[in-house]
Amino acid sequence: ALIAGPSGLGKTILVQQLAAQLPEAAGPLVQLVFPQMPADQLLAYLAAELSSAMAIEPDSSTADRGGRGGAPNIEQSVRRLHGALVENARKGRHAILALDDADLLRDPETLDTIRLLLNFQHQGRPVATLLLIGLPSLLTTLQRIPELEDRIDLKCLLPRFSLEQTMSYVAYRLKAA
């Protein structure tokens, strides 16, 4: 899914509210708020966050084999991420991977890596939902990568409030306060 809208509209808050209201079978929700990293680091981050959310300890047999001072390589991150997603699915849950500020993702390799995450399955069913959140320019970025755009089932473009909507919202908040 994709949520796009101008800055300051509350997209991140919307995702936080979604996380608070998810049923038990949907989760964990892993939210990445700083997506500007190479594909290998993005995979390592998602694997670590998902494993942490599920209280899965890192595999000590592969922890010291990564490059760059012990950082996991892509294979290790993919294995860890896939293993955590499958374990989550075995428990009857469906993970949500939310990438905030996804409009900053412009590297084709990173975008392709994100697309490939959608290939993970357990018993013929997807094990995760990808949620891309960003500025409206994200729609243009997706058009340049049709393989990823084709996998986005739902696109929501959030408009700014009109003057009447703003006045109604402020009146509601004042009444609530």
Side-chain angles (χ1 to χ4, degrees), residues 99-127:
L99 278 65
D100 214 340
D101 286 321
D103 53 286
L104 298 175
L105 295 168
R106 294 197 177 94
D107 177 36
E109 180 185 348
T110 303
L111 289 163
D112 205 38
T113 297
I114 291 167
R115 177 186 65 82
L116 292 172
L117 291 176
L118 298 173
N119 289 339
F120 292 153
Q121 295 188 7
H122 176 65
Q123 297 179 341
R125 299 183 59 105
V127 293

Short mmCIF file of all heavy atoms in Angstrom, two decimals, residues 99-127:
data_model
loop_
_atom_site.label_atom_id
_atom_site.label_comp_id
_atom_site.label_asym_id
_atom_site.label_seq_id
_atom_site.Cartn_x
_atom_site.Cartn_y
_atom_site.Cartn_z
N LEU A 99 7.67 1.90 5.52
CA LEU A 99 8.82 2.73 5.18
C LEU A 99 8.37 4.17 5.05
O LEU A 99 7.75 4.56 4.06
CB LEU A 99 9.47 2.26 3.88
CG LEU A 99 10.42 1.07 3.99
CD1 LEU A 99 9.70 -0.18 4.44
CD2 LEU A 99 11.16 0.86 2.72
N ASP A 100 8.65 4.94 6.10
CA ASP A 100 8.28 6.35 6.13
C ASP A 100 9.29 7.15 5.31
O ASP A 100 10.45 6.77 5.18
CB ASP A 100 8.27 6.83 7.59
CG ASP A 100 7.22 7.87 7.85
OD1 ASP A 100 6.74 8.50 6.88
OD2 ASP A 100 6.85 8.06 9.02
N ASP A 101 8.85 8.27 4.79
CA ASP A 101 9.68 9.12 3.92
C ASP A 101 10.24 8.32 2.74
O ASP A 101 11.38 8.52 2.30
CB ASP A 101 10.82 9.79 4.70
CG ASP A 101 10.31 10.92 5.59
OD1 ASP A 101 9.41 11.65 5.13
OD2 ASP A 101 10.80 11.06 6.72
N ALA A 102 9.42 7.41 2.23
CA ALA A 102 9.84 6.55 1.12
C ALA A 102 10.12 7.35 -0.15
O ALA A 102 10.78 6.83 -1.06
CB ALA A 102 8.79 5.47 0.86
N ASP A 103 9.66 8.58 -0.22
CA ASP A 103 9.96 9.42 -1.38
C ASP A 103 11.46 9.70 -1.48
O ASP A 103 11.96 10.05 -2.55
CB ASP A 103 9.19 10.74 -1.31
CG ASP A 103 9.42 11.46 0.00
OD1 ASP A 103 8.86 11.02 1.03
OD2 ASP A 103 10.16 12.46 0.01
N LEU A 104 12.20 9.50 -0.39
CA LEU A 104 13.65 9.70 -0.41
C LEU A 104 14.38 8.52 -1.04
O LEU A 104 15.58 8.60 -1.31
CB LEU A 104 14.17 9.94 1.01
CG LEU A 104 13.63 11.18 1.71
CD1 LEU A 104 14.11 11.23 3.16
CD2 LEU A 104 14.01 12.44 0.96
N LEU A 105 13.68 7.42 -1.24
CA LEU A 105 14.29 6.24 -1.87
C LEU A 105 14.33 6.45 -3.37
O LEU A 105 13.31 6.41 -4.04
CB LEU A 105 13.47 4.98 -1.55
CG LEU A 105 13.42 4.55 -0.10
CD1 LEU A 105 12.36 3.48 0.10
CD2 LEU A 105 14.77 4.05 0.34
N ARG A 106 15.52 6.68 -3.87
CA ARG A 106 15.65 6.92 -5.31
C ARG A 106 16.61 5.95 -5.97
O ARG A 106 16.64 5.84 -7.18
CB ARG A 106 16.10 8.36 -5.54
CG ARG A 106 15.02 9.33 -5.08
CD ARG A 106 15.22 10.71 -5.64
NE ARG A 106 14.12 11.57 -5.23
CZ ARG A 106 14.12 12.34 -4.18
NH1 ARG A 106 15.18 12.40 -3.42
NH2 ARG A 106 13.08 13.09 -3.87
N ASP A 107 17.37 5.23 -5.16
CA ASP A 107 18.33 4.27 -5.69
C ASP A 107 17.58 3.06 -6.24
O ASP A 107 16.85 2.39 -5.49
CB ASP A 107 19.30 3.85 -4.59
CG ASP A 107 20.29 2.80 -5.05
OD1 ASP A 107 20.71 2.86 -6.21
OD2 ASP A 107 20.62 1.91 -4.23
N PRO A 108 17.72 2.77 -7.53
CA PRO A 108 16.99 1.64 -8.12
C PRO A 108 17.29 0.31 -7.42
O PRO A 108 16.40 -0.53 -7.27
CB PRO A 108 17.48 1.60 -9.57
CG PRO A 108 17.97 2.97 -9.85
CD PRO A 108 18.49 3.51 -8.55
N GLU A 109 18.52 0.11 -6.94
CA GLU A 109 18.86 -1.13 -6.25
C GLU A 109 18.07 -1.28 -4.95
O GLU A 109 17.55 -2.34 -4.64
CB GLU A 109 20.36 -1.20 -5.96
CG GLU A 109 20.78 -2.48 -5.25
CD GLU A 109 22.24 -2.49 -4.85
OE1 GLU A 109 23.02 -1.63 -5.29
OE2 GLU A 109 22.60 -3.39 -4.07
N THR A 110 17.97 -0.19 -4.20
CA THR A 110 17.22 -0.23 -2.94
C THR A 110 15.74 -0.46 -3.21
O THR A 110 15.10 -1.27 -2.53
CB THR A 110 17.43 1.07 -2.14
OG1 THR A 110 18.83 1.25 -1.91
CG2 THR A 110 16.70 1.02 -0.81
N LEU A 111 15.20 0.21 -4.21
CA LEU A 111 13.79 0.02 -4.54
C LEU A 111 13.52 -1.41 -5.02
O LEU A 111 12.49 -2.00 -4.70
CB LEU A 111 13.36 1.04 -5.59
CG LEU A 111 13.26 2.47 -5.06
CD1 LEU A 111 13.23 3.47 -6.19
CD2 LEU A 111 12.04 2.62 -4.17
N ASP A 112 14.44 -1.96 -5.77
CA ASP A 112 14.28 -3.34 -6.22
C ASP A 112 14.36 -4.31 -5.03
O ASP A 112 13.64 -5.30 -4.98
CB ASP A 112 15.32 -3.69 -7.27
CG ASP A 112 14.86 -4.81 -8.18
OD1 ASP A 112 13.66 -4.86 -8.53
OD2 ASP A 112 15.70 -5.66 -8.54
N THR A 113 15.23 -4.01 -4.08
CA THR A 113 15.33 -4.83 -2.87
C THR A 113 14.01 -4.82 -2.12
O THR A 113 13.54 -5.86 -1.66
CB THR A 113 16.46 -4.31 -1.96
OG1 THR A 113 17.70 -4.43 -2.67
CG2 THR A 113 16.54 -5.07 -0.66
N ILE A 114 13.40 -3.65 -2.01
CA ILE A 114 12.10 -3.54 -1.35
C ILE A 114 11.05 -4.38 -2.08
O ILE A 114 10.26 -5.09 -1.47
CB ILE A 114 11.68 -2.06 -1.25
CG1 ILE A 114 12.60 -1.34 -0.27
CG2 ILE A 114 10.22 -1.93 -0.85
CD1 ILE A 114 12.49 0.16 -0.32
N ARG A 115 11.08 -4.30 -3.40
CA ARG A 115 10.13 -5.10 -4.20
C ARG A 115 10.33 -6.59 -3.93
O ARG A 115 9.36 -7.33 -3.77
CB ARG A 115 10.32 -4.81 -5.69
CG ARG A 115 9.42 -5.65 -6.59
CD ARG A 115 9.75 -5.44 -8.05
NE ARG A 115 11.07 -5.89 -8.42
CZ ARG A 115 11.38 -7.16 -8.71
NH1 ARG A 115 10.48 -8.10 -8.64
NH2 ARG A 115 12.61 -7.48 -9.05
N LEU A 116 11.57 -7.02 -3.85
CA LEU A 116 11.85 -8.44 -3.64
C LEU A 116 11.38 -8.94 -2.28
O LEU A 116 11.11 -10.13 -2.12
CB LEU A 116 13.34 -8.71 -3.85
CG LEU A 116 13.83 -8.55 -5.29
CD1 LEU A 116 15.35 -8.64 -5.35
CD2 LEU A 116 13.18 -9.56 -6.21
N LEU A 117 11.27 -8.04 -1.30
CA LEU A 117 10.75 -8.45 0.01
C LEU A 117 9.34 -9.00 -0.12
O LEU A 117 8.91 -9.82 0.68
CB LEU A 117 10.75 -7.26 0.98
CG LEU A 117 12.10 -6.75 1.44
CD1 LEU A 117 11.92 -5.52 2.31
CD2 LEU A 117 12.87 -7.82 2.18
N LEU A 118 8.62 -8.53 -1.13
CA LEU A 118 7.25 -8.99 -1.32
C LEU A 118 7.17 -10.41 -1.86
O LEU A 118 6.08 -10.98 -1.95
CB LEU A 118 6.51 -8.01 -2.24
CG LEU A 118 6.39 -6.59 -1.68
CD1 LEU A 118 5.80 -5.66 -2.72
CD2 LEU A 118 5.56 -6.58 -0.41
N ASN A 119 8.30 -11.00 -2.21
CA ASN A 119 8.33 -12.39 -2.68
C ASN A 119 8.27 -13.40 -1.53
O ASN A 119 7.97 -14.56 -1.76
CB ASN A 119 9.59 -12.67 -3.51
CG ASN A 119 9.55 -11.98 -4.85
OD1 ASN A 119 8.49 -11.63 -5.35
ND2 ASN A 119 10.72 -11.78 -5.43
N PHE A 120 8.58 -12.97 -0.31
CA PHE A 120 8.59 -13.89 0.82
C PHE A 120 7.18 -14.44 1.07
O PHE A 120 6.23 -13.67 1.19
CB PHE A 120 9.10 -13.22 2.09
CG PHE A 120 10.57 -12.86 2.06
CD1 PHE A 120 11.03 -11.81 2.82
CD2 PHE A 120 11.47 -13.57 1.30
CE1 PHE A 120 12.38 -11.47 2.82
CE2 PHE A 120 12.82 -13.25 1.30
CZ PHE A 120 13.28 -12.19 2.06
N GLN A 121 7.10 -15.77 1.16
CA GLN A 121 5.81 -16.43 1.38
C GLN A 121 5.98 -17.58 2.36
O GLN A 121 7.08 -18.08 2.56
CB GLN A 121 5.25 -16.97 0.07
CG GLN A 121 4.90 -15.91 -0.93
CD GLN A 121 4.15 -16.48 -2.13
OE1 GLN A 121 3.78 -17.65 -2.16
NE2 GLN A 121 3.93 -15.64 -3.12
N HIS A 122 4.86 -17.98 2.92
CA HIS A 122 4.79 -19.18 3.76
C HIS A 122 3.49 -19.88 3.39
O HIS A 122 2.42 -19.27 3.43
CB HIS A 122 4.81 -18.82 5.24
CG HIS A 122 4.65 -19.99 6.15
ND1 HIS A 122 5.59 -20.99 6.22
CD2 HIS A 122 3.65 -20.33 6.99
CE1 HIS A 122 5.17 -21.89 7.09
NE2 HIS A 122 4.00 -21.51 7.57
N GLN A 123 3.60 -21.12 2.98
CA GLN A 123 2.45 -21.91 2.55
C GLN A 123 1.64 -21.20 1.47
O GLN A 123 0.41 -21.17 1.49
CB GLN A 123 1.57 -22.28 3.75
CG GLN A 123 2.29 -23.16 4.75
CD GLN A 123 1.43 -23.51 5.95
OE1 GLN A 123 0.43 -22.88 6.24
NE2 GLN A 123 1.85 -24.57 6.65
N GLY A 124 2.37 -20.61 0.53
CA GLY A 124 1.74 -19.96 -0.61
C GLY A 124 1.09 -18.62 -0.34
O GLY A 124 0.41 -18.08 -1.20
N ARG A 125 1.31 -18.08 0.85
CA ARG A 125 0.71 -16.79 1.20
C ARG A 125 1.80 -15.78 1.55
O ARG A 125 2.79 -16.14 2.18
CB ARG A 125 -0.24 -16.96 2.38
CG ARG A 125 -1.40 -17.91 2.08
CD ARG A 125 -2.33 -17.99 3.26
NE ARG A 125 -2.86 -16.67 3.57
CZ ARG A 125 -4.09 -16.25 3.29
NH1 ARG A 125 -4.91 -17.08 2.69
NH2 ARG A 125 -4.48 -15.05 3.62
N PRO A 126 1.59 -14.52 1.22
CA PRO A 126 2.57 -13.49 1.60
C PRO A 126 2.69 -13.41 3.12
O PRO A 126 1.71 -13.60 3.83
CB PRO A 126 1.97 -12.20 1.05
CG PRO A 126 0.89 -12.59 0.12
CD PRO A 126 0.45 -13.97 0.48
N VAL A 127 3.89 -13.15 3.59
CA VAL A 127 4.14 -13.09 5.03
C VAL A 127 4.21 -11.67 5.57
O VAL A 127 4.31 -11.46 6.77
CB VAL A 127 5.43 -13.86 5.41
CG1 VAL A 127 5.28 -15.34 5.16
CG2 VAL A 127 6.63 -13.30 4.66
#
